[in-house]
Structure formats: structure tokens, C-alpha cells
Amino acid sequence: MSSIEQTLSIIKPDAVERNLNENIKKFFLKNKLKIVKEKKIQITKEEAAEFYKVHQTKPFYERLCSYLSSGPITVMILEGVNAIQENRKIMGATDPKNAEDGTIRKEYGISIDKNSVHGSDSIENAKKEIEFFFKS
Ligand code: CMP
């Protein structure tokens, strides 16, 4: 079934630092995902810890929170048909080493930590993540 969804996308510090914002946004637009809201911010380590709470038991949690708060990020709400799954396809596998040709992480990802983008992985998390960054 196809339905119009919204998902949260983050351009992570490694990509913002390399001025890849516009290049990455082209991937979304080319794939019919509209950017409905966007802002460039820097978050604290505490905010990163809250955002990535689902990973709190993982061995990489501490590193992940330090990294996401290490520099400016661009957060966006993407909208389109099956936006959550579409965005995950466009991003490619979490580890850029395994990402498919033509995906953002294949093109720009540096490592599993510096993998350039984040995208929500479910309808429930998309709602939570959008609310986290764009409280109305
Ligand atoms: P992201 O999609 O932002 O969600 C959690 C992040 O944790 C993930 O991208 C990776 O950048 C990072 N990460 C670091 N190590 C791992 C790992 N072993 N498995 C999954 N994610 C990892």
C-alpha cells in the first residue's frame, strides 16, 4: 500500500562540514521527496542522548551522542509516498561499506559513524523524531 508519509532526515556533522547539504538534498528531490521544513542547528550531547535513546544499550551509544553533537546538523521533514522506506532506500545501508551504488551513504559516507545522514526507521519513530526537532 502506498500512502503519503512524513519522515525525519538529518544531515550529520561530517556532511554539513563538507558542504554537502545541497548535493544531499538533490537526492531527495530527484526521488520525489519534498522538503517541508528545514533548519540548521547544533544540539547538545544531552539532546543527542535523548534523540538516540532507542540505542542507549548499544556499545556505540556514547560515541554516537558525542558525534551528533560535535558540529552543526541540518534537520528536515521529508514528505512523499512511502517517505520512510523511500528515504531509507535513498540513504543506503548504515555502513557505507555495504551501501548500494547510487545511495547517499555510498557516495558520501566515510564510516559507520560518519555516515552522513540519518532517517527515521518506522512510522512511530518518524512521529517521535519530527516532534523532537519541530515541536509545534
Ligand atoms: P543512524 O541511522 O543515525 O542510527 C544510529 C547510528 O548509530 C547509525 O546511523 C550509525 O551512524 C551509528 N552506529 C555506529 N555503530 C553502529 C553499529 N554497529 N550498528 C548500527 N549503527 C551504528
Side-chain angles (χ1 to χ4, degrees):
M1 242 213 7
S2 57
S3 56
I4 303 281
E5 293 171 350
Q6 290 193 336
T7 189
L8 184 90
S9 169
I10 304 178
I11 303 182
K12 295 187 180 183
D14 67 275
V16 173
E17 190 177 63
R18 287 176 288 153
N19 289 317
L20 293 172
N21 270 15
E22 293 309 312
N23 297 35
I24 289 176
K25 282 195 252 170
K26 278 186 200 149
F27 278 77
F28 303 137
L29 302 175
K30 199 167 71 189
N31 288 282
K32 302 197 168 60
L33 291 182
K34 200 163 71 177
I35 299 164
V36 295
K37 279 192 189 167
E38 172 183 354
K39 62 184 178 184
K40 190 172 170 184
I41 53 172
Q42 181 158 1
I43 60 172
T44 63
K45 191 171 173 189
E46 290 69 31
E47 287 168 326
E50 178 63 25
F51 177 76
Y52 274 133
K53 213 164 54 182
V54 289
H55 295 299
Q56 64 189 339
T57 58
K58 310 271 174 62
F60 55 83
Y61 181 58
E62 165 72 24
R63 197 171 80 216
L64 179 60
C65 300
S66 298
Y67 174 59
L68 196 72
S69 57
S70 67
I73 57 174
T74 300
V75 292
M76 288 162 287
I77 300 177
L78 305 180
E79 186 179 278
V81 175
N82 295 335
I84 296 161
Q85 273 316 108
E86 275 306 304
N87 183 38
R88 293 183 69 76
K89 258 195 251 162
I90 297 165
M91 290 194 300
T94 306
D95 188 342
K97 281 204 297 277
N98 304 324
E100 305 73 8
D101 285 344
T103 61
I104 296 171
R105 285 169 171 161
K106 172 76 176 191
E107 188 82 12
Y108 302 122
I110 295 170
S111 65
I112 195 162
D113 295 313
K114 298 185 173 182
N115 62 355
S116 302
V117 280
H118 166 83
S120 313
D121 64 0
S122 64
I123 292 180
E124 192 195 351
N125 285 336
K127 278 205 188 100
K128 280 190 202 154
E129 294 183 357
I130 288 171
E131 174 72 14
F132 184 87
F133 283 110
F134 297 95
K135 284 192 190 82
S136 42

